[in-house]
Every structure is written in structure tokens, then in C-alpha cells.
Amino acid sequence: MTRLFSTMRLDVTLQARNKLYHISIGLALLIAVAMRSFFPQDMLGAAIPAFVLMAIGGTTFMFVAGMIIFEKNENTLDGIIVTPLRVREYLFSKTVTLTLLATLETSVIILLSFGFGFNGLLVYTGMVLLGAMMVLMGIIPVVRYDTVTDFFLPAGIIGVITQLPIFLLANLGAGLDALWYAIPTAAPFVLMLGGFDGISTWQLIYGVGYSVLWIAGLSVWAKIAFDRHIILMGGS
């Protein structure tokens, strides 16, 4: 446990040193100002989850990719091989610390643009699940690459797919809605929407259950990918 907390403390320090907190808070302030300027209060319940999905989910995805590529090029990942730190602890630390950063961004956006009067349990549950999901989705492909430019194409494809659930807001019909619901990020998105506009029982079960299933599966996949492309390659 001490080893895990030390790793998390180091990750937070590195994130702060690389200005991720500055970038996140700056982006959150810009989004909050834009929503206050362009969206009436009765539309913010849909706009906020959509912006969180697109902007905050996207930055979380790219942050973990950038951190792993940086650590890979600096040969700091060799430490996982030669020290007692376990891969699961390394991945857990990245997931938790970057999810907390995403939650801080979301809080700034909500409190400055909407204020209070929303269901915090649903919104933050959705945010935490989305953050964890996006971190793991970033880890799985990025371990195969050595530069951010090489990662751009897969990142773009994944980014587009993960943001498609915003079309649920358009209510395009049962067939298309079923397609959007199949995308993993739709589940936490539905929870965040429910935090502002209410949620039905089946949506609550779907939002939590589908998210947890995907996070469990992505966790296993991330561990396998990291072992294959980092550990077996000697950290480089």
C-alpha cells in the first residue's frame, strides 16, 4: 500500500511539473465561460455532459498517452522491471490520479457555468467512470508507440468513436440510439445526463453496470498490452 501511495504521489508531482493542472484548469475555465455565454440555463443540463465527454474525456485520454510516451523515451519505465513496483499498481496510479484531475476539471466547469442544484452523486459517478475508462483506453494503444505523432491516427479514431454517444441528445431513433448505447462511453454519459435531467431505473443500471464491465475488461486488456509492449520489450 505504501508503494502504491508513493507511486500516486509521484504521478501527481509529474503531472503538476508538466503543467497538466494548468492546462486542465485553463481549459475548464474556457469551457465554463463559453457555456455561460452561449447556452441558456435550461440547456446546460445537456451541454455540460456533452462538453465533459468531448473535452475532458479527450484530454484525459491524451494526458495518459503523453505521460507514457514521455516515460518510455526517458527510460523511466525500466523501473517497473527492476523495482518491486507492479504493473497493476502503475496502471492503477495513472488511472486514479488522472481521473481525479478530470474530476477537478469537471467541477470547475459545473460550478462556474451551472452552479448547484444537480445530482452530484450521478454526475460525479459518471465522471469517475468516464475518466477511468478514457485512461485505460489511452494506455492500451499508446504502449505500442514511441512518439505522439505516431499515436495521432489511432488516437483520432478512438476519439471519434468515444464521442459518438453525444448523438443520443439528438434522439435519432431507436435503431441508432441502440448503436450509440453500445459504445462504452455512452454509459457514464447517460449517468451525467441523469444528474441534471433525471434518470430511469434501467438507465441507472445500464450506466453503472455497463461502465463497470468495460472498465474491468479494459483493465485486463491494459495489463496485457503493457506486459507485451513494455515489460517484454525491456521498458523501451
Side-chain angles (χ1 to χ4, degrees):
M1 188 63 70
T2 301
R3 186 173 58 231
L4 176 59
F5 284 136
S6 297
T7 304
M8 292 173 64
R9 184 168 60 248
L10 176 61
D11 273 338
V12 170
T13 301
L14 291 174
Q15 290 161 19
R17 187 177 300 165
N18 288 294
K19 310 298 183 183
L20 297 192
Y21 284 87
H22 294 76
I23 296 170
S24 297
I25 299 303
L27 177 63
L29 289 172
L30 288 174
I31 293 174
V33 170
M35 288 197 292
R36 290 275 296 187
S37 302
F38 298 108
F39 291 94
Q41 185 73 17
D42 61 349
M43 292 184 62
L44 287 175
I48 291 174
F51 272 91
V52 170
L53 176 63
M54 292 187 294
I56 309 305
T59 56
T60 303
F61 177 84
M62 291 305 299
F63 281 166
V64 71
M67 289 181 68
I68 289 180
I69 288 175
F70 174 78
E71 292 175 1
K72 195 175 184 181
N73 291 334
E74 293 294 314
N75 296 321
T76 56
L77 292 181
D78 292 340
I80 299 180
I81 301 173
V82 301
T83 66
L85 181 65
R86 298 184 179 92
V87 172
R88 294 186 187 280
E89 293 170 337
Y90 173 86
L91 298 177
F92 184 80
S93 176
K94 286 287 189 291
T95 303
V96 170
T97 56
L98 287 172
T99 297
L100 289 175
L101 177 56
T103 304
L104 176 62
E105 288 181 83
T106 303
S107 298
V108 172
I109 293 172
I110 294 174
L111 295 179
L112 292 184
S113 63
F114 187 86
F116 298 94
F118 60 94
N119 187 321
L121 180 60
L122 282 176
V123 171
Y124 283 106
T125 297
M127 180 62 252
V128 168
L129 293 171
L130 176 66
M133 199 177 287
M134 295 305 294
V135 171
L136 293 168
M137 285 184 179
I139 292 171
I140 291 166
V142 79
V143 293
R144 297 164 170 80
Y145 300 95
D146 295 323
T147 66
V148 174
T149 52
D150 291 337
F151 182 62
F152 275 158
L153 179 59
I157 295 172
I158 295 170
V160 170
I161 294 172
T162 57
Q163 293 175 9
L164 288 177
I166 63 172
F167 286 111
L168 286 170
L169 298 174
N171 194 22
L172 298 176
L176 281 176
D177 283 352
L179 177 62
W180 311 142
Y181 277 119
I183 298 171
T185 49
F189 181 58
V190 166
L191 291 176
M192 287 188 287
L193 287 173
F196 292 97
D197 298 324
I199 192 170
S200 64
T201 302
W202 78 264
Q203 288 177 319
L204 179 61
I205 295 172
Y206 158 78
V208 175
Y210 199 54
S211 295
V212 170
L213 285 175
W214 267 100
I215 290 171
L218 290 169
S219 298
V220 174
W221 192 357
K223 170 67 166 56
I224 293 171
F226 200 92
D227 284 341
R228 179 175 300 170
H229 297 282
I230 301 294
I231 302 301
L232 294 181
M233 297 296 291
S236 62

